[in-house]
């Protein structure tokens, strides 16, 4: 369904918009689809070439800022908004909070808790991706860079290091890419595969966003087992909003709004 198509009016249903692009959004959709009171639309940004397209009604592409999202919510008479985007997709989360407030509709952020270090972890916490690039040259030679294709340019000037760069799609043409090898793959990843990969490439340091959740946690476990440091990029600030840490909590929120 295209971005401008309308959902047919059905007064028996509440209309839920899920902002997606994550495994959690897909899982939430599967569960929420079992609630007969809901009519659900999922929205994807359109970043990946071959997205995992969720079942049901899907629209793809940006809304055009807060204003565009407000227009969308109004035109499609959305009753409930769940932001299930990735914790590092900060812009859309802030837009969603502002748009939901402007329209006066209930809004929930589904966000897995951040990973916390456990004994054996050797984390170097950094505020931003650029800070990760700043501290690498003094500590690393062969880096497993798992922050995705949009962040490659921040490391491109580090010519004395070697990078194994994992991402879903190739970098866009014109992107500055650090020296090393590109690896195209999509999680979830297993501990054994991460151990094999890091050992095979002689990795001495991992760079990761603190995404939380299980799907990409194996690299953190593998780094622990191999005694490797992880440069961990902290999450951006979420907007002030109700937050559900997992799918059951998001389902409970939905149920409360269906049966107030
Ligand atoms: P972002 O920086 O927060 O958003 C940039 C712009 O992309 C937004 O202003 C919005 O455009 C559009 N957008 C983002 N998510 C959207 C959605 N679900 N539906 C419609 N438009 C959306 O986001 P990002 O970090 O580029 O991430 C883009 C998508 O990839 C998100 O859906 C996110 O869940 C997924 N993802 C991101 C990461 C990550 O590390 N950032 C990792 C895994 C998955 P307009 O202003 O025009 O509305």
């Amino acid at each position: 369904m295209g971005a401008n198509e309308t959902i047919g009016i059905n007064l028996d249903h509440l209309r839920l918009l899920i902002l997606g692009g994550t495994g959690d959004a897909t899982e939430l959709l599967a569960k929420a689809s079992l609630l007969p009171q809901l009519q659900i639309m999922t929205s994807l940004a359109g970043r990946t070439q071959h997205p995992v397209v969720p079942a049901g009604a899907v629209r793809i592409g940006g809304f055009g800022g807060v204003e565009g999202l407000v227009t969308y919510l109004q035109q499609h008479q959305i009753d409930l908004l769940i932001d299930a985007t990735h914790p590092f997709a900060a812009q859309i989360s802030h837009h969603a909070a502002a748009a939901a407030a402007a329209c006066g509709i209930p809004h929930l952020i589904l966000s897995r808790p951040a990973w916390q270090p456990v004994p054996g972890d050797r984390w170097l916490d950094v505020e931003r991706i650029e800070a990760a690039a700043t501290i690498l040259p003094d500590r690393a030679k062969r880096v497993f860079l798992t922050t995705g294709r949009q962040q490659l340019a921040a490391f491109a000037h580090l010519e004395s290091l070697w990078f194994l760069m994992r991402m879903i799609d190739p970098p866009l043409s014109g992107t500055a890419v650090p020296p090393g090898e590109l690896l195209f793959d999509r999680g979830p990843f297993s501990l054994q595969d991460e151990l094999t990969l890091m050992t095979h490439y002689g990795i001495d340091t991992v760079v990761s966003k603190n995404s939380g959740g299980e799907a990409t946690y194996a690299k953190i476990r593998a780094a622990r087992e191999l005694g490797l440091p992880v440069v961990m990029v902290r999450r951006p600030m979420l907007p002030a909003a109700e937050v559900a840490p997992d799918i059951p909590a998001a389902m409970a929120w939905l149920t409360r709004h269906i049966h107030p």
Side-chain angles (χ1 to χ4, degrees):
M1 181 179 284
N4 295 323
E5 277 181 62
T6 52
I7 310 170
I9 290 176
N10 184 344
L11 296 177
D12 296 333
H13 288 86
L14 286 176
R15 291 152 197 275
L16 167 65
L17 175 64
I18 298 176
L19 301 174
T22 59
D24 276 349
T26 309
E27 206 181 312
L28 174 66
L29 173 69
K31 294 263 167 28
S33 299
L34 302 176
L35 299 173
Q37 303 91 336
L38 289 178
Q39 199 171 340
I40 307 173
M41 171 68 78
T42 301
S43 175
L44 302 178
R47 282 291 182 280
T48 47
Q49 287 172 4
H50 306 288
V52 179
V53 179
V58 177
R59 63 164 302 287
I60 298 180
F63 295 96
V66 177
E67 211 176 299
L69 183 51
V70 166
T71 304
Y72 183 91
L73 295 174
Q74 289 172 340
Q75 280 182 351
H76 294 252
Q77 300 175 311
I78 301 296
D79 300 296
L80 302 168
L81 176 62
I82 298 186
D83 171 6
T85 59
H86 191 270
F88 280 75
Q91 184 164 307
I92 187 69
S93 292
H94 285 273
H95 289 182
C103 296
I105 61 169
H107 160 237
L108 178 76
I109 297 178
L110 170 58
S111 181
R112 300 257 174 195
W115 296 319
Q116 301 297 331
V118 301
D121 279 335
R122 296 173 57 202
W123 289 12
L124 296 156
D125 265 309
V126 293
E127 192 76 45
R128 294 169 54 81
I129 206 93
E130 293 75 12
T134 305
I135 67 168
L136 278 179
D138 287 343
R139 313 164 184 269
K141 286 202 163 32
R142 295 180 67 82
V143 179
F144 185 21
L145 185 60
T146 65
T147 47
R149 66 174 177 166
Q150 293 190 80
Q151 264 81 36
L152 288 177
F155 299 88
H157 61 289
L158 300 176
E159 285 168 1
S160 61
L161 307 185
W162 186 92
F163 291 85
L164 175 64
M165 298 161 269
R166 184 166 65 194
M167 63 206 75
I168 295 174
D169 291 321
L172 296 176
S173 74
T175 302
V177 176
E181 194 170 319
L182 299 173
L183 178 64
F184 305 118
D185 207 350
R186 188 197 296 265
F189 304 101
S190 75
L191 175 61
Q192 193 50 54
D193 286 352
E194 297 292 48
L195 285 168
T196 304
L197 190 71
M198 290 189 209
T199 307
H200 174 77
Y201 282 97
I203 297 300
D204 60 30
T205 306
V206 177
V207 178
S208 173
K209 295 175 182 170
N210 193 333
S211 299
E214 269 303 310
T216 58
Y217 188 61
K219 66 189 167 198
I220 308 302
R221 282 202 186 99
R224 186 185 309 138
E225 288 202 11
L226 296 170
L228 302 182
V230 177
V231 180
M232 186 66 83
V233 184
R234 258 175 248 152
R235 293 174 172 202
M237 288 278 287
L238 284 178
E242 204 172 331
V243 177
D246 52 27
I247 308 286
M251 289 302 293
W253 181 88
L254 275 175
T255 307
R256 278 204 308 282
H257 284 89
I258 291 169
H259 306 290

